[in-house]
Amino acid sequence: MYGALWRILPGPVWVRILILIVLAVVVLWALVTWVFPWVDSLLGPQEGTVGP
């Protein structure tokens, strides 16, 4: 999969690396913004106590 992604990206190596870094940042941002809060709402509140 990563080899195929690498081959379809345009430009020299430094441009490909820059594109991959930007894609990784966008994916992580989307996960933190939408996916993780959605999954947290599905799990529901978890009761927890801290003992002495």
Side-chain angles (χ1 to χ4, degrees):
M1 179 177 127
Y2 298 112
L5 180 62
W6 185 256
R7 285 190 296 273
I8 64 171
L9 290 175
V13 173
W14 67 271
V15 172
R16 292 177 181 187
I17 292 172
L18 183 64
I19 292 171
L20 288 176
I21 290 171
V22 169
L23 285 174
V25 168
V26 168
V27 167
L28 288 173
W29 176 76
L31 284 172
V32 170
T33 303
W34 293 306
V35 177
F36 294 155
W38 174 71
V39 171
D40 185 45
S41 70
L42 290 178
L43 294 177
Q46 297 185 3
E47 300 290 328
T49 59
V50 178

